[in-house]
Amino acid sequence: MQEIKYTNSKGNSRLFQYHDDFHILDDYKEAQYINNWTTKGYNQHGATYIKSLMGEREITLSFWIIGRTIEDFYAQREEIFHLFNPVLGLGTLEYHNGVVDRMMDVYIANMPEELENYGNGRLYEVKLRAPHPFLYDKELNGIQFADSAGGFTFAAVFAPTKIFGYDMHAAIATNDGDIPAPVKLTIKNAQMVNPRIVMEDGSFIGLQKEISADEEIVIDTSYGNKSITINGKAADAYLMPGSTWIQLPIGETRVRCETDEGSPNVYMTWHNYYLGA
């Protein structure tokens, strides 16, 4: 059975169902816009396709507020207005249908609007928008990088008189979603020099810095929250030249952590992202 749950940034939430005494889900609609990029040359038949980009996802949630008394109704309505408060910023919308549990981050596009009035029972509608239009699994995926080949190192010669140790930790990660997934990396509990996370295609993100054992690095490549911190403080200034905000490709991929010195512990977490539920 379909259920929709909205939670605002203060942690207040409400589950909308078909059989709730006070809040009965009447309708749930989505509109998904796609921006298709094409170009057309002089005297060209048709057009040349470039790419398609997903626009914001628009959600319309219609529901009944049903009170046993008029006082009960107004108490429930006040709860709804507190819940769908646009000044609280992004909230989360969870979708349950008995098979999958997925969610997305949304903001309030308009305050709840009364559509029908039957005394203690009234129909309301609220519109929400997801700036990043994909749903993601409620549960987080995670792996810990293993010491490759038992922790062996091989020499990387940069100059005739200078040899660096080159440590490598690796892991296999699987993205079962519909798009490349941003990741959150935690590197900690070891001394190291110039740690970098490298994808199979050669793209990487790294820090140009000596790290002590009591420092914890957190690298977040998620949408709208790209950041690097060391012990909770911003460390973007140490971003290694050539770095990109890496994404986990669809399917199975090998990811490795390289350092000039040291053998770090690396943890990576991510959500799978989907076009729908």
Side-chain angles (χ1 to χ4, degrees):
M1 178 176 291
Q2 178 175 266
E3 296 178 342
I4 304 294
K5 182 180 180 182
Y6 177 75
T7 304
N8 64 25
S9 62
K10 293 183 70 67
N12 300 318
S13 64
R14 163 60 66 178
L15 183 65
F16 296 86
Q17 306 174 87
Y18 286 106
H19 53 80
D20 193 295
D21 288 341
F22 301 107
H23 302 79
I24 300 176
L25 180 66
D26 179 73
D27 200 6
Y28 174 84
K29 298 177 181 177
E30 289 188 6
Q32 180 63 66
Y33 300 100
I34 304 173
N35 299 314
N36 298 308
W37 288 16
T38 62
T39 185
K40 182 174 176 61
Y42 173 73
N43 204 27
Q44 175 185 354
H45 293 293
T48 301
Y49 173 79
I50 300 174
K51 66 166 61 173
S52 295
L53 297 175
M54 306 297 287
E56 288 186 312
R57 185 186 295 262
E58 296 184 356
I59 300 104
T60 301
L61 183 62
S62 303
F63 52 89
W64 289 92
I65 300 178
I66 301 175
R68 291 181 173 84
T69 64
I70 193 65
E71 292 79 12
D72 187 32
F73 162 79
Y74 279 111
Q76 296 298 324
R77 190 184 74 159
E78 185 174 6
E79 177 190 340
I80 287 297
F81 275 82
H82 282 310
L83 179 68
F84 293 110
N85 183 347
V87 302
L88 297 179
L90 285 175
T92 58
L93 194 69
E94 299 179 39
Y95 179 91
H96 314 272
N97 64 8
V99 179
V100 297
D101 293 319
R102 292 177 183 167
M103 57 199 303
M104 62 184 123
D105 300 323
V106 296
Y107 64 89
I108 309 301
N110 77 295
M111 295 293 292
E113 178 184 359
E114 185 177 299
L115 301 181
E116 297 183 28
N117 184 333
Y118 297 98
N120 297 352
R122 303 185 191 184
L123 178 64
Y124 280 81
E125 178 182 275
V126 63
K127 293 185 182 296
L128 309 103
R129 288 186 180 177
H132 184 236
F134 302 95
L135 292 94
Y136 55 90
D137 288 327
K138 190 172 181 180
E139 292 187 2
L140 198 62
N141 299 289
I143 55 173
Q144 181 176 358
F145 288 48
D147 199 357
S148 67
F152 88 107
T153 63
F154 61 93
V157 180
F158 291 88
T161 58
K162 195 169 187 178
I163 297 179
F164 293 83
Y166 186 73
D167 290 314
M168 183 170 65
H169 288 62
I172 300 296
T174 302
N175 174 9
D176 291 322
D178 296 324
I179 63 167
V183 299
K184 186 174 183 179
L185 297 145
T186 303
I187 309 170
K188 61 182 181 180
N189 297 334
Q191 292 182 333
M192 68 197 89
V193 178
N194 298 342
R196 51 206 175 269
I197 306 300
V198 185
M199 310 300 291
E200 278 190 15
D201 64 3
S203 61
F204 72 93
I205 188 167
L207 295 187
Q208 205 162 36
K209 187 182 186 301
E210 292 188 14
I211 307 296
S212 62
D214 61 351
E215 291 181 308
E216 179 176 289
I217 303 168
V218 177
I219 301 174
D220 192 342
T221 72
S222 61
Y223 303 97
N225 194 38
K226 294 178 173 62
S227 62
I228 301 175
T229 61
I230 298 178
N231 289 347
K233 296 182 179 180
D236 296 64
Y238 297 109
L239 189 64
M240 187 176 292
S243 293
T244 61
W245 299 100
I246 57 175
Q247 309 281 295
L248 189 61
I250 299 170
E252 186 177 276
T253 190
R254 185 173 184 271
V255 188
R256 65 185 189 272
C257 177
E258 300 175 356
T259 66
D260 292 344
E261 293 180 22
S263 184
N265 294 315
V266 184
Y267 307 87
M268 184 171 73
T269 58
W270 71 95
H271 286 286
N272 295 326
Y273 286 85
Y274 304 90
L275 290 174

